[in-house]
Amino acid sequence: MKKLVQNTFFAFLLLVLTSWSMHKFYVAIHQINHSKEKKMLQITSRLFIDDINEAIEKKYHKKSRLASEYESPEQVELLKKYFAEKFVVKVNGQAKNLEFLSKETEDNVLICYLRITAVPKISSLEIENSMIMENHNEQQNIIQTSFNGNKNSLLLTSENFKGMLK
């Protein structure tokens, strides 16, 4: 009986592990920090490279090879355009322009650095983030914020891709 329980447990474990590896997890993490001294929002976005390339290709109908030896300046411009269209930040009710600063890769993740200047004080922060959602309904965009001495987070999905923090 003990042997049967062990075999059943290992069969179940094997099934769970193999099914987990077949299903991809669609998530991106965006960190938004307010610097009172610099009067700006500093944004760091972490996106899976294959997901962002696929999203840019679908939206603009052009091959995207970001974070590869075949990356072109045109593809980087499409990335900037994609951010501007899919990642909207409103501070105190006013939409603000994102300034794309740079990017780097870490394993299979594209890390993008952006900022929004002229933000001396925040009473409300509204985020609209529909990045990657045109490809995967399961996409989750996690927003972590730090402003006014508080840390908050939002979980944005294809059903709810807007959120507000005060």
Side-chain angles (χ1 to χ4, degrees):
M1 180 68 173
K2 186 176 181 184
K3 186 91 166 156
L4 179 62
V5 170
Q6 282 180 331
N7 288 341
T8 305
F9 172 75
F10 286 122
F12 176 74
L13 183 62
L14 181 63
L15 177 66
V16 169
L17 291 176
T18 56
S19 64
W20 183 51
S21 66
M22 286 188 268
H23 184 266
K24 188 172 177 187
F25 188 62
Y26 298 103
V27 67
I29 299 174
H30 307 270
Q31 178 70 45
I32 303 173
N33 295 323
H34 182 235
S35 172
K36 282 185 182 181
E37 299 79 30
K38 295 179 181 179
K39 297 179 181 171
M40 74 170 63
L41 289 175
Q42 299 165 323
I43 303 167
T44 304
S45 293
R46 296 175 184 276
L47 311 148
F48 285 110
I49 294 168
D50 58 339
D51 292 344
I52 190 66
N53 278 325
E54 183 182 359
I56 288 171
E57 287 177 19
K58 186 170 186 175
K59 177 133 179 77
Y60 302 112
H61 309 290
K62 294 187 179 188
K63 186 73 175 163
S64 182
R65 295 181 174 172
L66 292 167
S68 78
E69 61 188 74
Y70 304 107
E71 177 183 284
S72 71
E74 179 188 13
Q75 293 165 9
V76 175
E77 288 304 312
L78 287 177
L79 174 65
K80 292 176 184 179
K81 183 178 178 181
Y82 186 80
F83 259 100
E85 292 175 9
K86 296 289 190 170
F87 192 88
V88 177
V89 178
K90 291 182 182 177
V91 179
N92 306 329
Q94 290 189 308
K96 297 291 185 175
N97 290 326
L98 288 173
E99 181 182 349
F100 191 96
L101 300 173
S102 65
K103 64 177 182 50
E104 65 180 336
T105 59
E106 185 177 287
D107 297 320
N108 61 342
V109 175
L110 183 67
I111 305 168
C112 301
Y113 302 98
L114 305 100
R115 72 177 175 189
I116 298 173
T117 57
V119 182
K121 187 177 177 181
I122 300 175
S123 58
S124 69
L125 190 62
E126 186 176 346
I127 317 269
E128 180 178 320
N129 184 339
S130 59
M131 295 183 79
I132 320 272
M133 291 180 186
E134 62 267 79
N135 290 348
H136 306 288
N137 285 338
E138 307 89 8
Q139 176 68 28
Q140 296 180 336
N141 290 325
I142 299 169
I143 313 293
Q144 299 172 327
T145 65
S146 176
F147 65 95
N148 296 337
N150 297 317
K151 292 184 180 189
N152 291 296
S153 62
L154 293 170
L155 177 62
L156 302 179
T157 64
S158 59
E159 293 86 32
N160 184 23
F161 58 89
K162 294 180 183 180
M164 180 178 286
L165 300 166
K166 293 184 178 189

